[in-house]
Amino acid sequence: MGAQPSCPLGRRQRQQLQGQVNGMLRTFLPCYRRQLAAAVLRHISQELGPQDPAGCQLSHTKKLPRVREHQGPLTLLQGHPPQWQPTFCVLRGDGRLEWFSHKENYESGGCPLGFAALTGYTLLTSQREYLCLLDDLCPSSSGDLALEEPLRVLEEPVSFALFLVHPFRAHLCFCARSRKAHRAWRLGLQGAIRLRATVLQRSRAPAACAFLDAVLLYRRRRGYAGGDDGILGSDAEVLSAELMRELLPGLRAQTLRSLRGAGRARARACAEFLDAVHTAVLAWASSGLRAFQPEKDALLAALERMVRADLEQILQQRALGARRIEAEIQGAVEACLCQKVDPQLPQLTLALLSPVEATLRAVRTLLIQGMDRLCHYLRKNPSGTRLCREVYEFGEIPWDPELMQACYREAERNHSHLVQLAKPFDFLGMRSLVFGAQDLAQQLMAAAVTTFLQLADQCLTSALDRSQAAEQLGKVRGLVLKKFTSDSETTRWRFTRDCLLRIFWPFVWSQLRLRCNLEPPEVDGDILAMGWQVLTTEGVYRDVIQGLLLQRIDRELKKILGASDRACSLADCSVAQWVQEGAGNIQMTAVISQRRKLTLSSKREKERERERDLLCRPNAATPYNMASKNSREQSLDPPTPILEDSG
């Protein structure tokens, strides 16, 4: 998955590593099976739970998230001793970077000299910062400086540098030819790193949610309770990184002792050896998860049949268990929340809301600029090729790193302050929260662009002259902004709520585990629903504690954002609320939920009728056809499928 390692693994090392990967899978897969059962139950139960009355107003795009493919010449530091050598680099749509000896070699379909999936990498643009990192990884004594000759090349000033560094992957050092090329590569590489990091977080499938919960459970049982960025990447990448973090101290110490040279040269050589280890671990982890796939598919199908058939009985048991557990631990939970969470909750909430609101404002501004630009060109020439190009470029806004950079930059606001506020709770996952906010900006922009093009396609017809067409597009603009405002309010609330839960939950659980003796059993003796692990004591404990924590979070959000009807409806849709339903109310809940869904469907149909009345589309074929014009993207820049994930 990276540059070719210079230190190939011996047979004994490979056997030892394979045994460690197999041992990790033997420990992890039972956790995964348990969480699959819990995730299916939660998914089906939430279908019957309260729904947001407003729903999503914008139309969601069917396009897969992707990186806009980028290519061009870069100079790469490679070889032994390392030298700057010209290469032709290609950033693929799935976030993979490849480099070739020449452009002709790439165009003729030749094999790349090397490649790297950019999951887990950090991009540095300062040569001094990169040299300091090497020094920290392997400090040199004053007597070793004479041995640094092979890396004197790095001390020579270089312009437009791009350093891709990773805790256990080979470092990649590039130089661009100009400031403009450097900026384009920087934005593209940053987008690729984020895309590959959030592949599981973007999925709402029960299997993906179960995998992330299983990783946290696996880590908790190995003595680590805090939150960090260890769950970024695909399923195999997350598991590989988990094992590599466990092995890293020993591997680094062993490798540095065996390497000759000093300081920076040893640090780079150590990174190359760790890259070889990671490549082997990733291959075995991928193989193990592929072997588990048929069992997982069969288990998911069987679980869904069983849960749907016995849902009422399971929820009755859960409600009884939740009431009993809440009576036992409510005092301890309230004491923990009052002492540890309440003093920091207002500060953290405001610090999280600030970048989220700034990001949403930036998305709205960019959306308005794009719509106004289209209206301008429609007034000038409603059937020209320039308008076609503008429509295409408008549809590309969510995937254009240069245009979206203003939105992504706002998501990084308060980063240092948030890190300090979250530190007392052992939360080190701020990078994943920033990535999540940036993903949210991209998804919201994509939905708004899709909605605008669809509505414009409905109302622009050959029966309209230029001024009438511009007037209709103005109505579409207003309608899209109204929908955008509605979805932005929902997004702001939910994202902030989820972030606060991620920060506080692992800490609260670790505190209560000690106070209330909540240590989960290692055997499957805590199953409450017979025959399947869909209902466990540990799972009910988790949902009860999360429910009490979410009450605190929702109360703080209402205080800051205002107790509007919309805010109240979102707070009522608690992910843990269904746990506490009384046994006698299960059937009534299902009936009410079905009526709500019918009412919501009726409201949406009425909303569509109002849209049709507002747009007043005559019965005529349209020459504008904006949505189909935007489909040119399929031929100009076809999306590359993203990583396979647990979903």
Side-chain angles (χ1 to χ4, degrees):
M1 299 292 290
Q4 295 298 318
S6 59
C7 307
L9 300 175
R11 180 179 178 182
R12 184 177 177 183
Q13 288 175 310
R14 293 181 65 85
Q15 289 176 341
Q16 184 179 5
L17 280 173
Q18 189 168 12
Q20 289 169 319
V21 173
N22 292 338
M24 177 185 67
L25 289 171
R26 282 194 298 270
T27 305
F28 173 77
L29 289 179
C31 297
Y32 194 10
R33 292 186 186 96
R34 291 174 69 116
Q35 296 304 322
L36 280 172
V40 170
L41 175 61
R42 189 177 297 113
H43 176 73
I44 294 175
S45 301
Q46 286 176 349
E47 289 181 0
L48 299 179
Q51 307 293 317
D52 177 13
C56 291
Q57 300 294 305
L58 296 170
S59 303
H60 286 279
T61 178
K62 296 181 180 179
K63 298 174 185 175
L64 290 172
R66 71 187 192 281
V67 177
R68 177 179 280 186
E69 188 166 298
H70 187 70
Q71 56 183 256
L74 288 175
T75 307
L76 170 65
L77 186 68
Q78 60 181 348
H80 296 279
Q83 297 292 330
W84 292 106
Q85 300 178 19
T87 59
F88 185 81
C89 296
V90 179
L91 182 61
R92 300 291 189 182
D94 62 352
R96 198 161 48 105
L97 181 65
E98 299 176 350
W99 52 96
F100 300 80
S101 56
H102 301 91
K103 182 178 181 180
E104 294 74 21
N105 185 252
Y106 160 68
E107 292 176 339
S108 63
C111 294
L113 296 175
F115 65 92
L118 296 180
T119 311
Y121 273 96
T122 299
L123 178 63
L124 305 178
T125 56
S126 165
Q127 185 177 5
R128 179 180 178 82
E129 189 177 359
Y130 178 62
L131 292 176
C132 289
L133 181 141
L134 291 179
D135 292 338
D136 292 341
L137 289 175
C138 188
S140 298
S141 63
S142 57
D144 291 333
L145 294 179
L147 300 175
E148 288 285 350
E149 190 63 34
L151 276 186
R152 290 292 182 190
V153 64
L154 262 180
E155 294 185 6
E156 298 171 2
V158 293
S159 301
F160 314 123
L162 298 160
F163 299 103
L164 288 163
V165 298
H166 194 285
F168 33 82
R169 300 281 300 281
H171 298 175
L172 301 173
C173 304
F174 295 97
C175 284
R177 291 185 174 181
S178 66
R179 189 178 303 278
K180 181 179 179 181
H182 179 264
R183 178 176 174 81
W185 277 108
R186 176 174 61 83
L187 296 179
L189 292 171
Q190 288 173 340
I193 291 170
R194 174 176 55 84
L195 177 79
R196 292 195 67 96
T198 56
V199 61
L200 286 175
Q201 283 76 4
R202 287 194 304 270
S203 175
R204 293 293 178 263
C209 298
F211 180 85
L212 295 175
D213 288 341
V215 172
L216 297 178
L217 176 60
Y218 169 82
R219 302 178 75 187
R220 196 160 62 237
R221 291 187 173 182
R222 298 181 72 83
Y224 183 81
D228 64 13
D229 293 324
I231 54 174
L232 296 177
S234 68
D235 46 11
E237 288 171 328
V238 169
L239 283 187
S240 302
E242 194 64 36
L243 181 58
M244 288 297 296
R245 272 187 290 272
E246 294 178 18
L247 301 177
L248 190 58
L251 285 172
R252 191 185 296 279
Q254 173 189 350
T255 306
L256 290 176
R257 282 197 304 268
S258 64
L259 289 172
R260 292 184 296 175
R264 296 165 183 169
R266 293 174 68 206
R268 280 182 58 87
C270 180
E272 290 178 354
F273 173 76
L274 293 175
D275 187 87
V277 174
H278 176 267
T279 300
V281 168
L282 180 61
W284 289 319
S286 300
S287 177
L289 289 174
R290 280 196 302 270
F292 177 66
Q293 185 70 34
E295 178 188 342
K296 184 184 79 173
D297 293 340
L299 181 59
L300 284 170
L303 281 167
E304 177 146 1
R305 289 195 300 269
M306 187 276 296
V307 169
R308 290 194 183 278
D310 300 332
L311 182 61
E312 183 178 351
Q313 180 183 356
I314 294 172
L315 291 183
Q316 287 176 349
Q317 288 180 301
R318 182 158 210 142
L320 292 172
R323 284 201 296 270
R324 175 180 58 80
I325 288 172
E326 185 171 352
E328 291 175 1
I329 68 171
Q330 186 169 11
V333 175
E334 289 293 332
C336 176
L337 296 180
C338 287
Q339 295 171 14
K340 305 291 186 179
V341 174
D342 288 353
Q344 295 296 323
L345 181 57
Q347 265 191 302
L348 260 171
T349 304
L350 288 171
L352 279 167
L353 277 171
S354 175
V356 172
E357 291 177 336
T359 302
L360 294 176
R361 285 195 299 270
V363 173
R364 179 187 174 88
T365 299
L366 183 58
L367 175 64
I368 290 174
Q369 290 172 350
M371 292 190 297
D372 289 348
R373 187 179 178 89
L374 270 185
C375 292
H376 170 72
Y377 278 103
L378 181 65
R379 289 189 182 96
K380 287 181 63 177
N381 191 350
S383 59
T385 56
R386 181 61 186 269
L387 177 62
C388 295
R389 184 65 191 175
E390 289 296 328
V391 170
Y392 168 71
E393 291 181 357
F394 178 76
E396 280 290 285
I397 288 177
W399 324 115
D400 189 322
E402 182 69 45
L403 291 176
M404 292 296 295
Q405 179 61 18
C407 309
Y408 297 155
R409 192 167 50 243
E410 294 292 352
E412 298 173 357
R413 270 193 184 192
N414 288 355
H415 182 271
S416 300
H417 183 47
L418 279 168
V419 169
Q420 293 302 316
L421 289 177
K423 194 173 182 180
F425 303 99
D426 299 324
F427 183 78
L428 304 174
M430 205 55 65
R431 190 186 196 201
S432 63
L433 297 190
V434 171
F435 282 167
Q438 292 172 339
D439 268 352
L440 215 60
Q442 188 178 52
Q443 292 164 12
L444 200 57
M445 178 61 80
V449 165
T450 299
T451 304
F452 181 85
L453 292 175
Q454 288 177 349
L455 293 176
D457 195 38
Q458 293 173 19
C459 74
L460 296 182
T461 73
S462 58
L464 304 176
D465 60 28
R466 188 178 303 181
S467 62
Q468 289 174 328
E471 181 183 355
Q472 286 294 93
L473 210 57
K475 291 180 180 179
V476 170
R477 176 187 183 278
L479 190 57
V480 169
L481 286 177
K482 180 181 177 183
K483 292 173 178 287
F484 179 88
T485 300
S486 174
D487 283 11
S488 293
E489 291 176 0
T490 307
T491 296
R492 177 183 60 177
W493 181 288
R494 287 180 176 166
F495 181 76
T496 308
R497 189 177 193 253
D498 289 346
C499 289
L500 290 169
L501 185 63
R502 286 183 59 186
I503 293 170
F504 288 123
W505 160 245
F507 175 82
V508 170
W509 174 263
S510 65
Q511 294 288 308
L512 292 172
R513 187 180 59 186
L514 300 175
R515 293 190 188 190
C516 305
N517 192 25
L518 301 182
E519 193 66 37
E522 295 296 330
V523 297
D524 297 334
D526 64 335
I527 300 174
L528 302 181
M530 299 304 294
W532 295 90
Q533 297 175 15
V534 294
L535 206 55
T536 63
T537 302
E538 180 188 358
V540 179
Y541 266 112
R542 165 189 162 146
D543 288 329
V544 168
I545 296 169
Q546 280 196 2
L548 294 171
L549 175 58
L550 283 170
Q551 289 177 12
R552 283 289 210 288
I553 293 172
D554 288 337
R555 188 162 62 238
E556 187 63 32
L557 284 170
K558 282 185 182 180
K559 189 188 305 180
I560 294 173
L561 299 177
S564 64
D565 292 340
R566 184 172 185 77
C568 291
S569 71
L570 287 169
D572 291 341
C573 298
S574 167
V575 296
Q577 181 187 357
W578 59 271
V579 176
Q580 301 172 17
E581 294 284 351
N585 294 334
I586 301 299
Q587 290 179 332
M588 182 62 70
T589 301
V591 172
I592 292 174
S593 175
Q594 186 63 28
R595 288 178 179 173
R596 281 175 177 163
K597 289 178 180 178
L598 291 173
T599 303
L600 181 59
S601 176
S602 176
K603 286 182 178 179
R604 287 175 176 167
E605 183 58 35
K606 289 179 180 178
E607 181 69 22
R608 283 194 290 268
E609 289 179 4
R610 283 197 295 269
E611 289 174 10
R612 287 193 290 268
D613 292 341
L614 176 66
L615 299 176
C616 302
R617 176 179 180 176
N619 293 323
T622 169
Y624 302 100
N625 202 10
M626 288 194 170
S628 61
K629 284 176 182 176
N630 185 248
S631 67
R632 290 175 53 206
E633 172 194 355
Q634 302 301 321
S635 59
L636 293 177
D637 189 12
T640 306
I642 186 58
L643 299 162
E644 291 297 327
D645 63 74
S646 293

